[in-house]
């Protein structure tokens, strides 16, 4: 039995630690495992080297890194890291990732409930109806911010029967035109010059944050905070 065969035999265990090999060799071994795989490496530089190696091996890969201590100021070191995390969750719930590469720093942060994240993905399809009155509160609850015109990921704008949304799982903002309450057309557009990039029949948008609180969770949090406030009097 050669070394790769031995590795694959050991890989049947729940957790496997590989040391004493270069990152390129580790990436090659990881590429032989059945998906999905969570690959923990030592630091950010190693994570992105591993990503390059695995992409070259035709693997669908995402790196989760740059997450700050969740108890200090912000959960994230950058907006880019937050968007990368959200996109990773979206790919995970859609089974479009082979390997997720993480650093020890990323392991400090507890992800939100993946089931809640999946249940809050919104689909838009031409000829379907859309409740435009309910949409603003729904998008706000999913982490989007209402603005006059979308400029960055997480923005949405509503002007009459025109809805613009810049979702984390899309490279361009989308525009939805309604006729009354029916979706008439959907496009990608350039938020700089407003030019149409392409037309779509349907699409999904994911939440703009990784943790979604269900209504009953919010009620429980309020009760807990109220109780703590009463005890502190």
């Amino acid at each position: 039995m050669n070394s790769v065969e031995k590795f694959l035999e050991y890989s049947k265990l729940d957790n496997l630690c590989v040391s004493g090999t270069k990152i390129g060799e580790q990436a090659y071994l990881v590429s032989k495992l059945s998906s999905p795989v969570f690959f923990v490496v030592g630091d950010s530089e190693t994570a992105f080297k591993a990503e390059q190696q695995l992409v070259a091996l035709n693997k669908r890969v995402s790196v989760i890194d740059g997450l700050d201590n969740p108890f200090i100021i912000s959960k994230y070191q950058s907006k880019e890291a937050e968007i990368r995390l959200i996109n990773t969750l979206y790919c995970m719930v859609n089974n479009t990732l082979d390997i997720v590469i993480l650093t020890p720093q990323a392991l400090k942060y507890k992800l939100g409930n993946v089931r809640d994240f999946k249940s809050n993905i919104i689909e838009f399809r031409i000829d379907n109806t859309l409740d435009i009155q309910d949409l603003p509160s729904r998008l706000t609850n999913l982490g989007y911010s209402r603005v006059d015109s979308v400029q960055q990921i997480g923005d949405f704008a509503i002007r009459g029967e025109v809805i613009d949304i810049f979702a984390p799982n899309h490279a361009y903002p989308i525009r939805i035109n309604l006729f009354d309450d029916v979706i008439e057309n959907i496009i990608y557009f350039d938020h700089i010059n407003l030019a149409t990039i392409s037309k779509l029949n349907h699409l999904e948008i994911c939440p703009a944050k990784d943790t979604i609180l269900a209504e009953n969770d919010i009620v429980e949090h309020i009760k807990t905070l109220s109780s703590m406030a009463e005890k502190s009097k």
Side-chain angles (χ1 to χ4, degrees), residues 62-132:
S62 181
V63 175
I64 299 180
D65 184 43
L67 302 179
D68 205 345
N69 188 317
F71 300 105
I72 302 178
I73 303 175
S74 171
K75 293 183 294 188
Y76 309 101
Q77 287 183 340
S78 69
K79 186 69 176 177
E80 181 185 353
E82 180 181 8
I83 293 167
R84 192 162 58 240
L85 172 59
I86 293 168
N87 270 317
T88 299
L89 281 172
Y90 179 73
C91 291
M92 285 171 63
V93 300
N94 284 284
N95 298 315
T96 56
L97 269 182
D98 297 315
I99 300 163
V100 179
I101 303 172
L102 306 103
T103 62
Q105 186 183 22
L107 293 174
K108 295 177 183 177
Y109 176 59
K110 183 179 179 181
L111 290 176
N113 188 298
V114 175
R115 193 173 294 127
D116 288 342
F117 184 91
K118 184 176 182 178
S119 67
N120 281 284
I121 291 171
I122 304 174
E123 181 184 24
F124 299 104
R125 187 179 293 271
I126 286 179
D127 294 331
N128 280 5
T129 59
L130 177 63
D131 185 350
I132 198 169

Side-chain angles (χ1 to χ4, degrees), residues 50-213:
E51 181 186 30
Q52 292 175 340
Q53 296 279 349
L54 289 163
V55 168
L57 293 168
N58 297 316
K59 292 296 180 179
R60 300 169 298 179
V61 185
S62 181
V63 175
I64 299 180
D65 184 43
L67 302 179
D68 205 345
N69 188 317
F71 300 105
I72 302 178
I73 303 175
S74 171
K75 293 183 294 188
Y76 309 101
Q77 287 183 340
S78 69
K79 186 69 176 177
E80 181 185 353
E82 180 181 8
I83 293 167
R84 192 162 58 240
L85 172 59
I86 293 168
N87 270 317
T88 299
L89 281 172
Y90 179 73
C91 291
M92 285 171 63
V93 300
N94 284 284
N95 298 315
T96 56
L97 269 182
D98 297 315
I99 300 163
V100 179
I101 303 172
L102 306 103
T103 62
Q105 186 183 22
L107 293 174
K108 295 177 183 177
Y109 176 59
K110 183 179 179 181
L111 290 176
N113 188 298
V114 175
R115 193 173 294 127
D116 288 342
F117 184 91
K118 184 176 182 178
S119 67
N120 281 284
I121 291 171
I122 304 174
E123 181 184 24
F124 299 104
R125 187 179 293 271
I126 286 179
D127 294 331
N128 280 5
T129 59
L130 177 63
D131 185 350
I132 198 169
Q133 301 302 321
D134 174 66
L135 189 63
S137 61
R138 191 176 181 189
L139 289 174
T140 300
N141 186 50
L142 298 183
Y144 290 86
S145 299
R146 188 166 187 171
V147 295
D148 292 331
S149 61
V150 299
Q151 298 295 325
Q152 61 183 353
I153 288 173
D155 286 349
F156 80 94
I158 300 177
R159 298 177 303 280
E161 296 182 336
V162 178
I163 304 160
D164 295 342
I165 307 172
F166 205 156
N169 58 316
H170 293 280
Y172 301 100
I174 63 169
R175 172 164 291 169
I176 301 166
N177 287 284
L178 301 179
F179 181 77
D180 195 12
D181 63 347
V182 177
I183 297 175
E184 193 170 41
N185 61 60
I186 306 170
I187 64 167
Y188 282 132
F189 71 97
D190 187 317
H191 67 284
I192 303 298
N193 58 26
L194 304 182
T196 298
I197 295 171
S198 61
K199 296 182 179 181
L200 306 160
N201 290 318
H202 65 90
L203 55 72
E204 292 181 340
I205 64 165
C206 71
K209 58 183 180 181
D210 66 285
T211 303
I212 311 298
L213 286 178

